[in-house]
Amino acid sequence: MSAAARFSFNHATAKFWDQREAVEACARAGAGIGLWREPLQEMGVEATAKLVQDAGVEVTSLCRAGFFTDPTAAALEDNRRAIDEAAAVGAPTLVLVSGGIPENGTIDSAREGVKEALAQLAPYALERGVTLAIEPLHPMFASDRCVVTTLAEALDLAAPFAPEAVGVVVDTYHIWWDPQVWQGIARAGREGRIASFQFADWITPLPAGVLTGRGQLGDGCIDFKRYLAEVDAAGFTGPIEVELFNDALWARPGAEVFQETRAAFERVVA
Amino acid sequence: MSAAARFSFNHATAKFWDQREAVEACARAGAGIGLWREPLQEMGVEATAKLVQDAGVEVTSLCRAGFFTDPTAAALEDNRRAIDEAAAVGAPTLVLVSGGIPENGTIDSAREGVKEALAQLAPYALERGVTLAIEPLHPMFASDRCVVTTLAEALDLAAPFAPEAVGVVVDTYHIWWDPQVWQGIARAGREGRIASFQFADWITPLPAGVLTGRGQLGDGCIDFKRYLAEVDAAGFTGPIEVELFNDALWARPGAEVFQETRAAFERVVA
């Protein structure tokens, strides 16, 4: 399959676009879609499942669960619900963002919490045919959003579990700076852990709060062809999601953002 | 020497404070000072050397050279000048921030540029008794300010040179998120490379541009006592500089910021 044919549109790239319209646009373009739980829940699990099935669109992932550095019963219950949602809509992968440092905790204690949560959730996910995908986020999010910061760390967390139960997300935006990134991708492939492959570009200056500064593909410093080649060489040939959190994109009509993003994707992989 | 007695005030913490007043405040408090090149050049190298000597203040480092990912003759010449300045004012250490990705370069080519620049500068520094201290910056600066992002990477860059010529900066603000940070500090000690030890706290939300969001000690999530213990265990017992880039601090009178910072330092190491 050509790289261009592997395009999947993550709904967060056009965050305020109606889920039905997004799915239908993906169907027309032959693209996959990465769904998000909030619009899914708003439409309903069954209705969303029917929507993607009727449209014939491949759901490449469901975003997002996790936030279990303090693995309370409520946090685990919400993650089990997310696994059920992923199974119901046919998403092979549930993306997990670990959460930040809990009140009165440290980054070390938070990392222990993640281990504990994964041990609780992995069997449940495996039974339902959903792979939990640990997403290392850029270290600028380490205190308030995700204590998992590198592919190596995510792979160490995944190691106790079967690859079908726990994998990792390779998202260019979060890992591009890592001097060990190529080794990390090769290891992720060797260990059969690449559960999701996502593109976003790195641009500066970063906006206040830094969450919504992800660049359109080609606007920043990331060498997507190199990532494509390294991930291919690591044996992953599945869908490539484009997920951009970007205030300027969010302010524009979803259909327009979809076309622009797809064109940008085709340019950077060509 | 008690931890409190190791306090050094980095001039950037009160960026707009007159250099003479800063040095005199450090003298009265028995503190060291980390100088910056701009105020030093403004006063003049000889006058600054006389100022610190007359005041009996220990210069713990000179900030900042580097910016040589594209190691042009001009960039190298400016670094040689910085080495001369450090030697003239008795700074044992010159802090180097590598610079970001040059026009038409990649992060990999930028890292090669750093290697080349260090090879050019190390002998010059060694002859003048100045240690070049490679500072890994937080990965949120990797594209536009510093392609060196971890202690491990900085130590690999330093490895070809004598420890007296090239060391590393251990700055809590930049490395606290790293899952390998304790191993990195232990290795830096073993290899005799800790040339500077700096404190700043990590707070969120980050401001736009992210440069000036460093927290006062104790306001964020960094466990300074643990850093102190690990760096002590690694065999470094030299000065500890507090360097905060923070718009709110910069807007206040330097003398007040100095007292507050010294008190915060004493609290977090007590």
Side-chain angles (χ1 to χ4, degrees), chain B:
Chain B
M1 185 153 56
S2 78
R6 293 162 64 186
F7 176 65
S8 175
F9 185 77
N10 186 289
H11 191 186
T13 302
K15 184 177 180 175
F16 304 108
W17 198 17
D18 178 70
Q19 180 175 263
R20 177 177 303 278
E21 289 178 39
V23 167
E24 289 169 355
C26 289
R28 283 190 301 274
I33 192 161
L35 293 176
W36 276 70
R37 295 183 69 199
E38 294 76 3
L40 176 152
Q41 290 171 354
E42 201 183 316
M43 178 178 279
V45 178
E46 296 310 313
T48 302
K50 184 170 185 323
L51 169 69
V52 293
Q53 197 161 32
D54 290 352
V57 167
E58 180 187 1
V59 180
T60 55
S61 74
L62 177 65
C63 297
R64 190 186 57 187
F67 293 92
F68 45 34
T69 46
D70 182 9
T72 59
L76 295 173
E77 190 45 40
D78 185 59
N79 276 273
R80 287 191 199 95
R81 193 175 317 127
I83 293 166
D84 291 339
E85 290 164 1
V89 299
T93 294
L94 174 66
V95 174
L96 301 182
V97 169
S98 76
I101 302 172
E103 200 72 38
N104 301 320
T106 66
I107 193 164
D108 293 326
S109 72
R111 285 166 171 157
E112 290 303 312
V114 175
K115 284 185 201 173
E116 195 183 319
L118 288 171
Q120 295 284 326
L121 296 171
Y124 191 89
L126 194 59
E127 274 171 27
R128 280 148 191 84
V130 173
T131 302
L132 303 175
I134 306 170
E135 181 163 27
L137 292 202
H138 191 286
M140 67 191 177
F141 298 115
S143 67
D144 56 358
R145 189 165 287 267
C146 187
V147 296
V148 181
T149 54
T150 64
L151 271 183
E153 188 181 3
L155 289 166
D156 289 346
L157 287 164
F161 311 101
E164 297 74 29
V166 184
V168 302
V169 180
V170 174
D171 183 326
T172 59
Y173 187 77
H174 295 299
I175 62 175
W176 75 273
W177 58 271
D178 184 352
Q180 300 294 315
V181 70
W182 310 127
Q183 292 94 318
I185 288 172
R187 178 183 160 199
R190 245 183 356 259
E191 299 178 359
R193 300 280 181 188
I194 303 180
S196 174
F197 185 23
Q198 297 187 332
F199 275 11
D201 214 340
W202 179 269
I203 54 172
T204 56
L206 291 159
V210 306
L211 185 60
T212 56
R214 302 191 196 179
Q216 181 56 274
L217 311 184
D219 288 354
C221 64
I222 294 180
D223 182 351
F224 292 99
K225 271 199 212 153
R226 173 96 191 257
Y227 276 87
L228 187 61
E230 300 274 351
V231 170
D232 276 1
F236 178 83
T237 54
I240 306 168
E241 278 186 23
V242 183
E243 184 193 56
L244 312 175
F245 292 9
N246 181 304
D247 288 314
L249 290 179
W250 288 351
R252 291 168 50 199
E256 194 181 299
V257 170
F258 176 83
Q259 294 303 342
E260 176 186 297
T261 300
R262 189 174 165 229
F265 178 79
E266 290 180 359
R267 274 196 305 277
V268 300
V269 299

Side-chain angles (χ1 to χ4, degrees), chain A residues 1-8 199 228 232 238-240 265-266 268-270:
Chain A
M1 184 154 57
S2 77
R6 292 162 66 187
F7 176 65
S8 175
F199 276 11
L228 188 61
D232 276 1
I240 306 168
F265 177 80
E266 290 180 359
V268 299
V269 299

Side-chain angles (χ1 to χ4, degrees), chain A residues 64-71 75 79 96-100 144-146:
Chain A
R64 191 187 55 187
F67 294 92
F68 45 34
T69 47
D70 182 10
N79 276 272
L96 301 181
V97 169
S98 76
D144 57 358
R145 188 165 288 267
C146 187

